[in-house]
Coordinates of all heavy atoms in Angstrom, one line a residue:
M181 N 110.0 87.6 142.8 CA 111.0 88.4 143.6 C 111.4 89.6 142.8 O 111.5 89.7 141.5 CB 112.2 87.5 143.7 CG 113.4 88.2 144.4 SD 114.8 87.2 144.5 CE 114.4 86.1 145.8
S182 N 111.4 90.8 143.4 CA 111.7 92.2 142.8 C 113.1 92.3 142.5 O 114.0 91.6 142.9 CB 111.2 93.2 143.6 OG 112.1 93.4 144.7
A183 N 113.4 93.2 141.5 CA 114.8 93.5 141.1 C 115.6 93.9 142.4 O 116.7 93.5 142.5 CB 114.9 94.6 140.1
A184 N 115.1 94.6 143.3 CA 115.9 95.1 144.5 C 116.2 93.9 145.3 O 117.3 93.8 145.8 CB 115.0 96.1 145.3
N185 N 115.3 93.0 145.5 CA 115.6 91.8 146.3 C 116.6 90.9 145.7 O 117.5 90.3 146.3 CB 114.2 91.0 146.6 CG 113.3 91.6 147.5 OD1 113.8 92.5 148.4 ND2 112.1 91.2 147.5
R186 N 116.6 90.9 144.3 CA 117.6 90.0 143.7 C 119.0 90.7 143.9 O 119.9 90.0 144.0 CB 117.3 89.9 142.1 CG 116.2 88.8 141.8 CD 116.1 88.7 140.3 NE 115.8 89.8 139.6 CZ 114.7 90.2 139.2 NH1 113.5 89.4 139.2 NH2 114.4 91.3 138.5
F187 N 119.1 92.0 143.8 CA 120.2 92.6 144.0 C 120.8 92.4 145.5 O 121.9 92.2 145.6 CB 120.2 94.2 143.7 CG 121.6 94.8 143.9 CD1 122.5 94.7 143.0 CD2 121.7 95.7 145.1 CE1 123.9 95.3 143.1 CE2 123.0 96.2 145.1 CZ 124.0 96.0 144.3
E188 N 119.9 92.5 146.4 CA 120.3 92.2 147.7 C 120.9 90.9 148.0 O 121.6 90.7 148.9 CB 119.1 92.5 148.8 CG 118.8 94.1 148.7 CD 117.5 94.2 149.5 OE1 117.1 93.4 150.4 OE2 117.1 95.5 149.6
D189 N 120.6 89.9 147.2 CA 121.1 88.6 147.3 C 122.3 88.4 146.4 O 122.9 87.3 146.6 CB 120.0 87.6 146.9 CG 118.9 87.5 147.7 OD1 119.0 87.8 148.9 OD2 117.8 87.1 147.3
S190 N 122.8 89.4 145.8 CA 123.9 89.3 144.9 C 125.2 89.6 145.6 O 125.2 90.1 146.8 CB 123.8 90.3 143.7 OG 124.2 91.6 144.1
R191 N 126.4 89.2 145.0 CA 127.7 89.4 145.6 C 128.1 90.8 145.7 O 129.0 91.2 146.4 CB 128.8 88.7 144.7 CG 128.7 87.2 144.8 CD 129.5 86.6 143.7 NE 130.9 87.3 143.7 CZ 132.1 86.8 143.8 NH1 132.2 85.6 143.9 NH2 133.1 87.6 143.8
D192 N 127.4 91.7 144.9 CA 127.8 93.1 144.8 C 127.1 93.9 146.0 O 127.4 95.0 146.2 CB 127.3 93.6 143.5 CG 128.1 93.0 142.4 OD1 129.3 92.8 142.5 OD2 127.6 92.8 141.3
Y193 N 126.1 93.3 146.6 CA 125.4 94.1 147.7 C 126.2 94.1 149.0 O 126.7 93.0 149.5 CB 124.0 93.4 148.1 CG 123.2 94.0 148.9 CD1 122.5 95.2 148.6 CD2 123.0 93.4 150.2 CE1 121.7 95.9 149.5 CE2 122.1 94.2 151.1 CZ 121.5 95.3 150.9 OH 120.7 96.0 151.8
V194 N 126.3 95.2 149.7 CA 127.1 95.3 150.8 C 126.1 95.5 152.0 O 125.7 96.7 152.2 CB 128.2 96.4 150.8 CG1 129.0 96.5 152.0 CG2 129.1 96.2 149.5
Q195 N 125.8 94.5 152.7 CA 124.8 94.5 153.7 C 125.2 95.5 154.8 O 124.3 96.3 155.3 CB 124.5 93.2 154.3 CG 123.4 93.1 155.2 CD 123.1 91.8 155.8 OE1 124.0 91.1 156.2 NE2 121.8 91.4 155.7
S196 N 126.4 95.6 155.1 CA 126.7 96.4 156.3 C 126.7 97.9 155.9 O 126.3 98.8 156.8 CB 128.2 96.1 156.8 OG 129.0 96.1 155.8
L197 N 127.0 98.2 154.7 CA 126.8 99.6 154.2 C 125.3 100.0 154.2 O 125.1 101.1 154.6 CB 127.4 99.7 152.8 CG 127.2 101.2 152.2 CD1 127.7 102.3 153.0 CD2 127.7 101.1 150.8
A198 N 124.5 99.1 153.8 CA 123.0 99.3 153.7 C 122.4 99.6 155.2 O 121.7 100.4 155.4 CB 122.2 98.1 153.1
R199 N 123.0 98.8 156.1 CA 122.6 98.9 157.5 C 123.0 100.2 158.1 O 122.3 100.9 158.8 CB 123.1 97.7 158.3 CG 122.3 96.5 158.0 CD 122.9 95.3 158.8 NE 122.1 94.1 158.6 CZ 122.4 92.9 159.2 NH1 123.4 92.8 159.9 NH2 121.6 91.9 158.9
G200 N 124.4 100.6 157.8 CA 124.8 101.9 158.4 C 124.1 103.2 157.7 O 123.7 104.0 158.5
L201 N 123.7 103.0 156.4 CA 122.9 103.9 155.8 C 121.4 104.1 156.4 O 120.8 105.1 156.6 CB 122.8 103.9 154.3 CG 124.1 104.2 153.6 CD1 124.0 103.7 152.2 CD2 124.5 105.6 153.8
A202 N 120.9 102.8 156.8 CA 119.5 102.8 157.4 C 119.6 103.4 158.7 O 118.7 104.3 159.1 CB 119.1 101.3 157.5
V203 N 120.7 103.3 159.5 CA 120.9 104.0 160.7 C 120.8 105.6 160.5 O 120.2 106.3 161.2 CB 122.2 103.7 161.5 CG1 122.5 104.6 162.6 CG2 122.1 102.3 162.0
L204 N 121.6 106.2 159.5 CA 121.5 107.6 159.2 C 120.2 107.9 158.7 O 119.7 109.0 159.1 CB 122.6 107.8 158.1 CG 124.0 107.7 158.5 CD1 125.0 107.9 157.5 CD2 124.5 108.5 159.8
A205 N 119.5 107.2 158.0 CA 118.2 107.5 157.6 C 117.1 107.6 158.6 O 116.1 108.2 158.5 CB 117.7 106.5 156.4
A206 N 117.4 106.9 159.8 CA 116.5 107.0 160.9 C 116.3 108.4 161.4 O 115.2 108.8 161.9 CB 117.0 106.1 162.0
F207 N 117.3 109.3 161.2 CA 117.3 110.6 161.7 C 116.5 111.4 160.6 O 116.8 111.3 159.5 CB 118.7 111.1 161.9 CG 119.5 110.4 163.1 CD1 120.2 109.3 162.7 CD2 119.3 110.9 164.4 CE1 120.9 108.7 163.7 CE2 120.0 110.2 165.4 CZ 120.7 109.1 165.1
D208 N 115.7 112.3 161.1 CA 115.0 113.3 160.2 C 114.6 114.5 161.0 O 115.0 114.7 162.0 CB 113.8 112.6 159.5 CG 112.7 112.1 160.5 OD1 112.7 112.5 161.6 OD2 111.9 111.2 160.1
A209 N 113.9 115.4 160.3 CA 113.6 116.6 160.9 C 112.7 116.4 162.2 O 112.9 117.2 163.2 CB 112.8 117.5 159.8
E210 N 111.9 115.6 162.2 CA 111.0 115.1 163.4 C 111.8 114.3 164.5 O 111.4 114.4 165.7 CB 109.7 114.4 162.9 CG 108.8 115.2 162.3 CD 107.6 114.5 161.8 OE1 107.4 113.4 162.6 OE2 107.0 114.7 160.8
H211 N 113.0 113.8 164.1 CA 113.8 112.9 164.9 C 115.3 113.3 164.9 O 116.2 112.5 164.3 CB 113.6 111.4 164.6 CG 112.1 111.1 164.8 ND1 111.4 111.0 163.7 CD2 111.4 110.6 165.9 CE1 110.2 110.5 164.1 NE2 110.1 110.5 165.4
P212 N 115.7 114.6 165.1 CA 117.1 114.9 165.0 C 118.1 114.3 165.9 O 119.1 114.1 165.7 CB 117.0 116.5 165.2 CG 115.8 116.7 166.2 CD 114.9 115.7 165.8
T213 N 117.5 113.8 167.0 CA 118.3 113.0 168.0 C 117.7 111.8 168.4 O 116.3 111.8 168.5 CB 118.6 113.8 169.4 OG1 117.4 114.2 170.0 CG2 119.5 115.0 169.0
L214 N 118.4 110.7 168.6 CA 117.6 109.4 168.8 C 118.7 108.6 169.8 O 119.9 108.7 169.6 CB 117.5 108.5 167.5 CG 116.4 109.1 166.5 CD1 116.6 108.3 165.3 CD2 115.0 108.9 167.2
G215 N 118.0 107.8 170.7 CA 118.8 106.8 171.4 C 118.9 105.5 170.6 O 118.2 105.4 169.6
L216 N 119.8 104.6 171.2 CA 119.9 103.4 170.5 C 118.7 102.5 170.3 O 118.5 102.0 169.3 CB 121.0 102.5 171.3 CG 122.4 103.0 171.4 CD1 123.3 102.2 172.2 CD2 122.9 103.1 169.9
A217 N 117.9 102.7 171.3 CA 116.5 101.7 171.3 C 115.6 102.4 170.2 O 115.0 101.6 169.4 CB 115.8 101.8 172.6
A218 N 115.5 103.7 170.2 CA 114.8 104.2 169.1 C 115.3 104.1 167.7 O 114.6 103.8 166.8 CB 114.6 105.8 169.3
I219 N 116.6 104.1 167.5 CA 117.2 103.7 166.4 C 116.8 102.3 165.8 O 116.6 102.0 164.7 CB 118.7 104.1 166.2 CG1 119.0 105.5 166.5 CG2 119.3 103.6 164.9 CD1 120.5 105.8 166.8
A220 N 117.1 101.4 166.8 CA 116.7 100.0 166.6 C 115.3 99.9 166.1 O 115.0 99.1 165.1 CB 117.0 99.2 167.7
T221 N 114.3 100.5 166.8 CA 112.9 100.4 166.4 C 112.7 101.0 165.0 O 112.1 100.2 164.2 CB 112.1 101.2 167.5 OG1 112.2 100.6 168.8 CG2 110.7 101.2 167.1
R222 N 113.2 102.2 164.7 CA 113.1 102.7 163.5 C 113.7 102.0 162.3 O 113.2 102.1 161.2 CB 113.5 104.3 163.5 CG 112.7 105.1 164.3 CD 113.1 106.5 164.6 NE 113.2 107.2 163.2 CZ 112.1 107.8 162.6 NH1 111.0 107.8 163.1 NH2 112.4 108.4 161.4
T223 N 114.8 101.3 162.6 CA 115.4 100.6 161.5 C 115.1 99.1 161.4 O 115.3 98.4 160.3 CB 117.1 100.6 161.6 OG1 117.4 100.0 162.8 CG2 117.5 102.0 161.6
G224 N 114.6 98.5 162.5 CA 114.3 97.1 162.5 C 115.6 96.2 162.7 O 115.5 95.1 162.6
L225 N 116.7 96.9 163.0 CA 117.9 96.2 163.4 C 118.0 95.9 165.0 O 117.2 96.6 165.7 CB 119.0 97.1 163.0 CG 119.3 97.4 161.5 CD1 120.3 98.4 161.3 CD2 119.4 96.1 160.8
S226 N 118.7 95.0 165.3 CA 118.9 94.7 166.7 C 119.6 95.8 167.5 O 120.3 96.6 166.8 CB 119.7 93.5 167.0 OG 121.1 93.6 166.6
R227 N 119.4 96.1 168.8 CA 120.1 97.0 169.5 C 121.5 96.9 169.5 O 122.3 97.8 169.5 CB 119.5 97.0 171.0 CG 119.8 98.4 171.6 CD 119.2 98.4 173.0 NE 119.5 99.6 173.8 CZ 120.7 99.8 174.4 NH1 121.6 98.9 174.5 NH2 120.8 100.9 175.0
A228 N 121.9 95.7 169.5 CA 123.5 95.4 169.5 C 124.0 95.8 168.1 O 125.2 96.4 168.2 CB 123.7 93.8 169.8
A229 N 123.3 95.5 167.1 CA 123.9 96.0 165.8 C 124.0 97.5 165.6 O 124.8 97.9 165.1 CB 123.0 95.3 164.7
V230 N 122.8 98.1 166.1 CA 122.8 99.5 166.0 C 123.9 100.2 166.9 O 124.5 101.1 166.4 CB 121.4 100.0 166.6 CG1 121.4 101.5 166.9 CG2 120.3 99.7 165.6
R231 N 124.1 99.6 168.0 CA 125.2 100.1 168.8 C 126.6 100.1 168.0 O 127.2 101.2 168.0 CB 125.3 99.3 170.1 CG 126.5 99.8 171.1 CD 126.6 98.9 172.3 NE 127.8 99.3 173.0 CZ 129.0 98.8 172.8 NH1 129.1 97.9 171.7 NH2 130.0 99.2 173.5
R232 N 126.9 98.9 167.5 CA 128.2 98.9 166.8 C 128.3 99.9 165.5 O 129.1 100.4 165.2 CB 128.3 97.4 166.2 CG 128.6 96.4 167.3 CD 129.0 95.1 166.8 NE 128.2 94.4 165.9 CZ 127.0 93.7 166.2 NH1 126.7 93.4 167.5 NH2 126.2 93.3 165.2
L233 N 127.0 100.0 164.8 CA 127.0 100.8 163.7 C 127.2 102.3 164.1 O 127.9 103.0 163.5 CB 125.7 100.6 162.9 CG 125.6 99.3 162.1 CD1 124.1 99.0 161.9 CD2 126.5 99.3 161.0
V234 N 126.4 102.5 165.2 CA 126.5 104.0 165.7 C 127.9 104.4 166.2 O 128.4 105.4 165.9 CB 125.4 104.3 166.7 CG1 125.7 105.6 167.4 CG2 124.1 104.3 166.1
L235 N 128.6 103.4 166.9 CA 129.9 103.7 167.3 C 130.9 103.9 166.1 O 131.8 104.6 166.2 CB 130.3 102.6 168.2 CG 129.7 102.5 169.6 CD1 130.2 101.2 170.4 CD2 130.1 103.9 170.4
T236 N 130.7 103.0 165.1 CA 131.5 103.3 163.9 C 131.1 104.6 163.2 O 132.1 105.3 162.8 CB 131.3 102.1 162.9 OG1 131.5 100.9 163.5 CG2 132.1 102.3 161.6
L237 N 130.0 104.9 163.1 CA 129.5 106.2 162.5 C 130.1 107.4 163.3 O 130.6 108.4 162.8 CB 128.1 106.2 162.4 CG 127.4 105.4 161.3 CD1 125.9 105.2 161.3 CD2 127.9 105.8 159.8
Q238 N 130.0 107.3 164.6 CA 130.6 108.2 165.5 C 132.0 108.4 165.3 O 132.6 109.6 165.1 CB 130.3 108.0 166.9 CG 130.9 109.1 168.0 CD 130.6 108.6 169.3 OE1 130.2 107.5 169.7 NE2 130.7 109.6 170.3
H239 N 132.8 107.3 165.2 CA 134.3 107.5 165.0 C 134.7 108.0 163.8 O 135.6 108.8 163.5 CB 134.8 105.9 165.0 CG 136.2 105.9 164.7 ND1 137.2 106.3 165.5 CD2 136.8 105.4 163.5 CE1 138.4 106.0 164.8 NE2 138.2 105.6 163.6
L240 N 133.7 107.8 162.7 CA 134.0 108.5 161.4 C 133.4 109.9 161.2 O 133.7 110.6 160.2 CB 133.2 107.6 160.2 CG 134.0 106.1 160.1 CD1 133.1 105.2 159.2 CD2 135.4 106.2 159.7
G241 N 132.8 110.4 162.2 CA 132.2 111.7 162.3 C 130.9 112.0 161.6 O 130.5 113.1 161.4
Y242 N 130.1 110.9 161.4 CA 128.9 111.1 160.8 C 127.7 111.4 161.8 O 126.7 111.9 161.6 CB 128.5 109.8 160.0 CG 129.3 109.7 158.7 CD1 130.5 109.0 158.6 CD2 128.8 110.4 157.6 CE1 131.1 109.0 157.5 CE2 129.5 110.5 156.5 CZ 130.7 109.7 156.4 OH 131.5 109.6 155.2
V243 N 127.9 111.0 163.0 CA 127.0 111.2 164.2 C 127.9 111.6 165.5 O 129.1 111.3 165.6 CB 126.1 110.0 164.6 CG1 125.2 109.6 163.5 CG2 126.9 108.8 165.1
R244 N 127.2 112.3 166.3 CA 128.0 112.6 167.7 C 127.0 112.4 168.8 O 125.9 112.4 168.7 CB 128.4 113.9 167.7 CG 127.5 115.2 167.5 CD 128.1 116.4 167.4 NE 127.2 117.4 166.9 CZ 126.6 118.4 167.6 NH1 126.9 118.5 168.9 NH2 125.8 119.1 167.1
L245 N 127.6 111.9 169.9 CA 126.8 111.7 171.1 C 126.6 112.9 171.8 O 127.5 113.8 171.9 CB 127.6 110.8 172.1 CG 127.1 110.3 173.3 CD1 125.8 109.4 173.0 CD2 128.0 109.5 174.1
V246 N 125.3 113.3 172.2 CA 124.9 114.5 173.0 C 124.1 113.9 174.1 O 122.9 113.4 173.9 CB 124.0 115.4 172.1 CG1 123.5 116.6 173.0 CG2 124.7 115.8 170.9
G247 N 124.7 113.8 175.2 CA 124.0 113.1 176.5 C 124.0 111.8 176.2 O 124.9 111.1 175.9
R248 N 122.8 111.1 176.2 CA 122.6 109.7 175.8 C 122.0 109.5 174.4 O 121.5 108.4 174.2 CB 121.6 109.1 176.8 CG 122.2 109.1 178.3 CD 121.4 108.5 179.3 NE 121.1 107.1 178.9 CZ 121.7 106.1 179.5 NH1 122.7 106.2 180.2 NH2 121.2 104.8 179.0
E249 N 121.9 110.5 173.6 CA 121.3 110.3 172.3 C 122.4 110.8 171.3 O 123.4 111.4 171.5 CB 120.1 111.1 172.1 CG 119.0 110.7 173.0 CD 117.7 111.3 172.6 OE1 117.7 112.5 172.3 OE2 116.6 110.7 172.8
Y250 N 122.2 110.3 170.0 CA 123.1 110.7 168.9 C 122.3 111.7 167.9 O 121.1 111.7 168.0 CB 123.4 109.4 168.2 CG 124.3 108.5 169.0 CD1 123.7 107.5 169.8 CD2 125.6 108.6 168.9 CE1 124.5 106.8 170.6 CE2 126.5 107.8 169.6 CZ 125.8 106.8 170.5 OH 126.7 106.1 171.3

């Protein structure tokens, strides 16, 4: 088991923060806007989880809705 995996199993690891950052990392120069399905595909998270994370990120001002994409 790698050190990263051991940390992910520790009490100090915040899985929801890691998932939110994974959503933000899904966006890049080649993908400046993405829909929920594309974010789910790029992150490996469920579409339902992505929806909740994106809505939270939108509320906090980290992403914005443009049409049907963020």
Side-chain angles (χ1 to χ4, degrees):
M181 181 181 282
S182 72
N185 286 341
R186 283 190 301 257
F187 181 73
E188 290 177 11
D189 292 334
S190 79
R191 296 170 34 130
D192 294 323
Y193 184 76
V194 182
Q195 185 180 48
S196 57
L197 174 60
R199 288 179 176 176
L201 292 173
V203 167
L204 292 176
F207 297 90
D208 58 23
E210 293 180 22
H211 304 93
T213 61
L214 294 166
L216 294 176
I219 298 169
T221 298
R222 291 177 58 83
T223 61
L225 299 169
S226 72
R227 193 174 182 280
V230 166
R231 179 183 171 278
R232 291 189 305 272
L233 290 163
V234 167
L235 289 174
T236 301
L237 290 167
Q238 180 183 10
H239 173 74
L240 295 172
Y242 288 95
V243 298
R244 63 187 162 105
L245 184 63
V246 178
R248 296 183 55 95
E249 294 188 327
Y250 293 88

